[in-house]
Amino acid sequence: MSEPVLPEGVERRSIDGNERLATRGEPVYGEPTDGEWRAWNPNRSKLGAMLELGMDTGLEGGDDETVLYLGAASGTTVSHVADFAGPTYAVEFAARPARDLLEAADSRPRLFPLLKDARKPESYAHVVESDVDVLIQDVATRGQARVALENKRFLAEDGRLLLAVKARSEDVTRDPGEIFAEVRDALSVADGYEILESERLEAYHADHLGIVARPR
């Protein structure tokens, strides 16, 4: 594994006797802490896994970095993002995890939960800025490439897409490698994305692919 490129506000620290990625913030999912620092568990976070694997996410951190996060669930990963980034819009469709997401946002003034469907970006277009720096997607649905393409409207020209592809959400019967190839092809249409890097996340998440891309 190569050394991860870490954004400002993310550090590698010794917590619980282990070297871990960490951010400053209130704990959300029972993760170990050391003072104001909370460990970022890559086994529970696809973005954390991408950083651990040394993928160049393009995340810089800081108050000026805006993020749109699709598939925020109960806030495990997006809470870490809001610890180091600026305004972070967190889209989650299911009501039950959204309640936990709201709790995670209580201590994070830069985290804005949206109970919306990532497949219908028009439903939150009036809230989300039109030039976010980073689009992070971790949704369990068919048509994950289509979701990324439809939400490209929010991404700045020099922005980044950080996509965690779940093969089993597309088709549980097919070879994940075939699905990953199809997703890459679907993203690479003329008005879509240029893929900068992709890597299997098997060390932390079975049948997942991490993709870093930028809009064409």
Side-chain angles (χ1 to χ4, degrees):
M1 295 182 188
S2 56
E3 187 67 22
V5 179
L6 301 180
E8 178 186 349
V10 180
E11 295 186 7
R12 186 171 291 280
R13 302 180 68 87
S14 179
I15 299 178
D16 251 13
N18 296 297
E19 281 266 310
R20 302 171 181 260
L21 294 177
T23 62
R24 288 188 181 95
E26 292 293 322
V28 170
Y29 52 100
E31 66 275 24
T33 61
D34 179 18
E36 61 183 356
W37 291 90
R38 51 191 289 251
W40 191 345
N41 186 348
N43 292 295
R44 297 188 60 173
S45 168
K46 268 69 87 179
L47 179 59
M50 291 170 72
L51 290 170
E52 283 283 13
L53 290 168
M55 297 184 71
D56 186 0
T57 63
L59 283 165
E60 297 180 354
D63 293 346
D64 294 333
E65 186 170 54
T66 54
V67 178
L68 172 59
Y69 194 107
L70 307 178
S74 57
T76 297
T77 298
V78 76
S79 62
H80 284 291
V81 174
D83 285 346
F84 67 80
T88 302
Y89 302 95
V91 176
E92 174 52 46
F93 181 64
R96 177 63 190 90
R99 289 198 290 271
D100 293 333
L101 177 61
L102 287 169
E103 289 185 17
D106 281 345
S107 61
R108 294 175 172 85
R110 295 176 295 191
L111 178 56
F112 304 103
L114 301 172
L115 186 56
K116 300 291 184 181
D117 188 340
R119 296 169 297 182
K120 301 176 181 178
E122 65 278 2
S123 67
Y124 45 88
H126 63 292
V127 178
V128 179
E129 302 172 31
S130 59
D131 58 349
V132 300
D133 298 303
V134 185
L135 170 61
I136 303 173
Q137 181 177 315
D138 182 12
V139 297
T141 185
R142 287 180 182 267
Q144 293 166 77
R146 183 173 65 252
V147 172
L149 289 166
E150 291 179 352
N151 281 273
K152 176 175 167 279
R153 70 183 72 182
F154 300 110
L155 198 53
E157 289 184 5
D158 60 347
R160 288 289 184 274
L161 166 69
L162 307 179
L163 171 61
V165 183
K166 304 168 184 278
R168 299 309 179 192
S169 293
E170 294 288 347
D171 191 332
V172 297
T173 67
R174 294 179 57 208
D175 176 67
E178 294 179 1
I179 292 172
F180 296 151
E182 288 182 0
V183 170
R184 284 193 294 260
D185 287 345
L187 290 173
S188 300
V189 294
D191 58 348
Y193 292 93
E194 175 188 357
I195 295 177
L196 303 175
E197 186 178 2
S198 64
E199 186 166 346
R200 296 282 289 257
L201 306 181
E202 299 296 329
Y204 301 101
H205 302 276
D207 301 326
H208 281 73
L209 180 75
I211 292 177
V212 180
R214 63 186 175 197
R216 289 187 183 276

